[in-house]
Amino acid sequence: MVAAAALVFLVLAFSSAVLWVIHTKIHRMKSRVVLAEKQHARLLELAEHSLESSDVPVGAILLYAGTIVGEGYNTVLRNAKAGEHAEVNAISNAIAVMGIDKFSSLDRSALILVSTFEPCLMCAGAFINYDIRNVYFMKEKEFSYIGKEEARFFRYLIRRRQVRNNDEQGSLFERHPDYPAGKKHIRQ
C-alpha cells in the first residue's frame, strides 16, 4: 500500500512539474492587467502595511469594472489567524462592504483580483469558492516553492480520510434554510 501511494505521489509530482512549466509559459503569454496609477500605488501601500506586524509583505485588491471593491494585506501574524492572507482579506473586505448577495451577483467577467505575489493554494481555493476567474499577480513564486506546495497538496489528497459516514453533515445541510432541495452536495 505504501509503495503504491509513493508511486502515485511520484507520478502526480512529475505531472505537476510538467503542468507548472506549461502553465508558466502560458501565463507569461497572456494579457496583463493595466492598473491605474492610484490602484498600483494602493496595492503597494497595502503590502507595506503587512510589514508593520512582520507579516509577509503582500497586498491585494479586488477590482470590479475598474473600481476597487475590496482590498487586503497579510494579517496572519498580527491577528494570529491562519487564513488572513491578503487575497482572502480582499475578498472578505468586498463582502463586508457590499454584502454577500450583492457580491455574489457581480458579473464575474468584470471581477479581477490583483496581488503583489502569486497566491497560494489556500487563496486559490477561495478564488474557486467565490468564482473569481481573473487573477493577476506582480511577482511569481519560484519553481522549487511551487513544487513543494504541490507536493504537500498531493500528500493531503493521499492521506485524507473520512471519519464516519452516517450523513450527519447531510442532515445539517438539509436543516439550512437555503439548502437546495434534491441536491446531495452544497457549496460552502
Side-chain angles (χ1 to χ4, degrees), residues 156-169:
Y156 156 75
L157 289 177
I158 292 169
R159 293 180 177 171
R160 67 190 175 131
R161 301 287 183 272
Q162 186 173 358
V163 177
R164 300 169 42 154
N165 191 14
N166 291 342
D167 207 23
E168 289 100 348
Q169 184 62 54

Side-chain angles (χ1 to χ4, degrees), residues 136-174:
Y136 295 86
F137 50 86
M138 292 172 67
K139 179 168 177 52
E140 67 184 340
K141 292 181 178 174
E142 303 268 336
F143 175 73
S144 61
Y145 185 84
I146 295 284
K148 289 175 188 173
E149 196 172 60
E150 293 290 329
R152 287 192 299 266
F153 178 69
F154 290 127
R155 196 171 29 233
Y156 156 75
L157 289 177
I158 292 169
R159 293 180 177 171
R160 67 190 175 131
R161 301 287 183 272
Q162 186 173 358
V163 177
R164 300 169 42 154
N165 191 14
N166 291 342
D167 207 23
E168 289 100 348
Q169 184 62 54
S171 68
L172 290 169
F173 283 144
E174 289 172 3

Side-chain angles (χ1 to χ4, degrees), residues 14-30 140 143 146:
F14 177 76
S15 300
S16 177
V18 169
L19 288 173
W20 185 84
V21 169
I22 292 169
H23 160 76
T24 300
K25 300 293 183 195
I26 290 173
H27 93 69
R28 286 184 180 157
M29 293 185 301
K30 289 182 180 178
E140 67 184 340
F143 175 73
I146 295 284

Side-chain angles (χ1 to χ4, degrees), residues 18-119:
V18 169
L19 288 173
W20 185 84
V21 169
I22 292 169
H23 160 76
T24 300
K25 300 293 183 195
I26 290 173
H27 93 69
R28 286 184 180 157
M29 293 185 301
K30 289 182 180 178
S31 64
R32 295 174 185 242
V33 68
V34 177
L35 295 175
E37 190 59 40
K38 281 185 175 182
Q39 294 169 338
H40 184 260
R42 182 63 182 153
L43 186 61
L44 294 175
E45 180 183 327
L46 289 164
E48 290 262 342
H49 283 305
S50 299
L51 291 171
E52 295 166 5
S53 56
S54 298
D55 275 285
V56 177
V58 178
I61 56 174
L62 194 58
L63 301 167
Y64 184 69
T67 302
I68 296 176
V69 295
E71 56 183 38
Y73 56 91
N74 278 354
T75 55
V76 174
L77 296 177
R78 185 186 83 187
N79 296 338
K81 294 191 177 181
E84 291 195 359
H85 289 200
E87 299 85 355
V88 172
N89 286 341
I91 296 167
S92 296
N93 177 247
I95 291 170
V97 169
M98 51 174 66
I100 190 68
D101 292 333
K102 185 174 180 185
F103 179 78
S104 297
S105 68
L106 295 177
D107 174 12
R108 289 329 206 216
S109 65
L111 189 62
I112 298 171
L113 187 129
V114 184
S115 178
T116 58
F117 191 54
E118 185 173 4

